[in-house]
């Protein structure tokens, strides 16, 4: 080959292309460079390859080889610059100095937390935990508890019947009788569980809700034991300055009966202390002798007290929640606030 011109021209094209690639500021500019040199119809390197046929046959291999080498070099340079512009060799797109995001691990539902906290206090006071069926009979839910079936509480308006005389328990009190049947006194139990009533779902009612039953049966148990134990519970749960008040009430299965209120002392952020209003936390009373006899115990020998409280209400008070339904919507953004 006498004339080296095409080879020399390829060398110049290579230098120009590499220079243009290096100074391309963004991917659009780089794409222009690619089209200019390697584009199928207009590309300057492509043109040399296409023009091979016009060269003298003896020159074709050498020029062809050189053109392919230059094409390869330019293509590789385009690719390297392209990934450089995409951030390949710049600082990583992840900022490793940012604090890690806290991972949501799940947590106990606020009502479950209240049940646990309440249960743990009574456990420390010597109580054991008991349970009973959610579907129960009229006998356990009403009659054994000194509640005749013509009592308003037994009305189908209030109670969810499954089949004749079998219902979804409307309170946890049937666990009193079921426990007394199985065990001899002394009895000290806490029985948390679901109960059901024909209530409309609103800010303060749900047709299914949690109750916690408490029952103590022994010789010489008096109202004084009851007041002392409840006072101790309230001070452990809400703080040492908490006051407890007993208001006369009526339940067929307790005599006398009471509703129990608590008044808390809250310390504000500025250090001032304020008393809350009285808040009702439970229904309670001395176990009616008829109930003790129904259990097969000697009512002359044994006495006792019982209560039923609502942990959802207690959780609402504790967290300042004013709509019970938020506990049941299962919106993780709401529930995550209570995760410990
Ligand atoms: N079972 C009653 C209720 O659901 C509460 C209660 C329990 C009252 C035990 C007295 C004794 O309202």
């Amino acid at each position: 080959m006498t004339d080296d011109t095409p080879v020399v021209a390829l060398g110049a094209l290579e230098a120009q292309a590499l220079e243009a690639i290096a100074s391309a500021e963004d991917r659009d500019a780089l794409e222009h460079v690619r089209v200019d040199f390697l584009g199928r119809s207009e590309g300057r390197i492509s043109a040399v390859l296409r023009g091979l046929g016009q060269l003298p046959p003896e020159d074709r291999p050498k020029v062809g080889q050189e053109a392919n080498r230059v094409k390869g070099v330019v293509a590789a340079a385009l690719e390297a610059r392209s990934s450089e512009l995409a951030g390949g060799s710049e600082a990583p797109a992840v900022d490793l100095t940012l604090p890690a995001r806290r991972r949501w691990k799940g947590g106990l539902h606020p009502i479950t937390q209240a049940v646990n906290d309440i249960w743990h206090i009574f456990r420390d006071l010597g109580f054991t935990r008991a349970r009973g069926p959610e579907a129960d009979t009229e006998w356990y839910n009403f009659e054994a508890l000194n509640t005749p079936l013509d009592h308003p509480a037994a009305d189908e308006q209030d109670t969810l019947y499954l089949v004749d005389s079998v219902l979804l328990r409307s309170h946890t009190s049937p666990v009193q009788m079921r426990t007394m049947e199985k065990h001899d006194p002394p009895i000290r139990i806490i029985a948390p569980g679901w109960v059901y009533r024909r209530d409309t779902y609103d800010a303060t009612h749900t047709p299914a809700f949690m109750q916690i039953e408490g029952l103590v049966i022994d010789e010489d148990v008096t109202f004084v034991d009851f007041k002392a134990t409840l006072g101790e519970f309230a001070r452990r749960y809400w703080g040492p300055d908490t006051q407890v008040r007993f208001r006369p009430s009526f339940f067929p299965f307790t005599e006398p009966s009471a509703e129990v209120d608590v008044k808390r002392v809250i310390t504000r952020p500025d250090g001032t202390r304020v008393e809350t209003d009285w808040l009702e936390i439970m229904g309670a009373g001395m176990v009616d002798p008829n109930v003790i006899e129904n259990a097969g115990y000697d009512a002359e020998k044994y006495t006792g007290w019982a209560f039923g409280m609502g942990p959802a209400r207690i959780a609402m008070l504790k967290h300042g929640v004013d709509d019970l339904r938020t506990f049941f919507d299962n919106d993780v953004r709401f529930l995550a606030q209570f995760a410990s």
Side-chain angles (χ1 to χ4, degrees), residues 23-266:
S23 54
E25 289 294 339
D26 54 35
R27 304 187 82 177
D28 279 350
L30 194 64
E31 177 60 12
H32 278 116
V33 177
R34 189 192 66 76
V35 172
D36 189 19
F37 289 91
L38 298 183
R40 233 168 249 245
S41 53
E42 307 288 322
R44 292 191 264 161
I45 296 169
S46 317
V48 176
L49 282 162
R50 245 197 337 270
L52 280 178
Q54 267 84 62
L55 292 176
E58 64 274 21
D59 289 349
R60 287 180 201 160
K62 194 177 176 195
V63 177
Q65 216 175 17
E66 180 64 2
N68 276 318
R69 185 191 68 77
V70 171
K71 185 182 169 186
V73 167
V74 171
L78 281 164
E79 195 158 311
R81 180 71 183 144
S82 166
S83 60
E84 209 172 271
L85 290 173
S89 68
E90 286 165 14
V94 180
D95 183 351
L96 297 174
T97 66
L98 280 176
R101 219 171 272 164
R102 217 178 132 233
R103 195 172 282 206
W104 164 238
K105 297 194 300 279
L108 293 178
H109 191 279
I111 296 178
T112 308
Q113 286 178 31
V115 170
N116 287 352
D117 293 346
I118 293 162
W119 149 238
H120 290 154
I121 291 171
F122 281 100
R123 182 189 60 191
D124 293 348
L125 296 175
F127 286 67
T128 53
R129 194 157 160 159
R131 62 194 296 178
E134 287 175 29
D136 214 332
T137 59
E138 282 178 326
W139 165 254
Y140 284 105
N141 198 77
F142 297 122
E143 293 166 293
L145 294 168
N146 203 37
T147 312
L149 292 178
D150 58 12
H151 186 277
D155 199 306
E156 290 193 26
Q157 292 291 323
D158 297 313
T159 306
L160 288 152
Y161 278 82
L162 295 173
V163 292
D164 269 353
S165 80
V166 179
L167 44 79
L168 291 173
R169 64 180 180 192
S170 58
H171 51 181
T172 42
S173 299
V175 185
Q176 291 186 23
M177 188 54 62
R178 289 187 168 274
T179 306
M180 289 191 277
E181 279 178 350
K182 271 189 252 134
H183 302 280
D184 290 330
I187 284 175
R188 272 182 180 68
I189 56 136
I190 288 295
W194 289 100
V195 303
Y196 303 86
R197 288 184 197 172
R198 290 183 83 122
D199 274 328
T200 310
Y201 191 53
D202 65 22
T204 53
H205 296 87
T206 52
F209 58 100
M210 275 275 176
Q211 262 195 347
I212 302 179
E213 193 79 8
L215 174 69
V216 169
I217 304 276
D218 203 348
E219 292 177 47
D220 303 321
V221 173
T222 68
F223 205 91
V224 174
D225 299 304
F226 174 42
K227 281 190 81 168
T229 309
L230 259 286
E232 182 61 23
F233 159 73
R235 286 185 295 275
R236 290 195 190 194
Y237 191 81
W238 283 286
D241 297 322
T242 306
Q243 291 166 261
V244 178
R245 174 172 85 174
F246 293 74
R247 272 182 297 115
S249 184
F250 176 79
F251 298 100
F253 34 93
T254 45
E255 182 56 37
S257 300
E259 258 150 25
V260 181
D261 302 337
V262 294
K263 186 193 268 287
R264 301 160 59 195
V265 175
I266 292 172

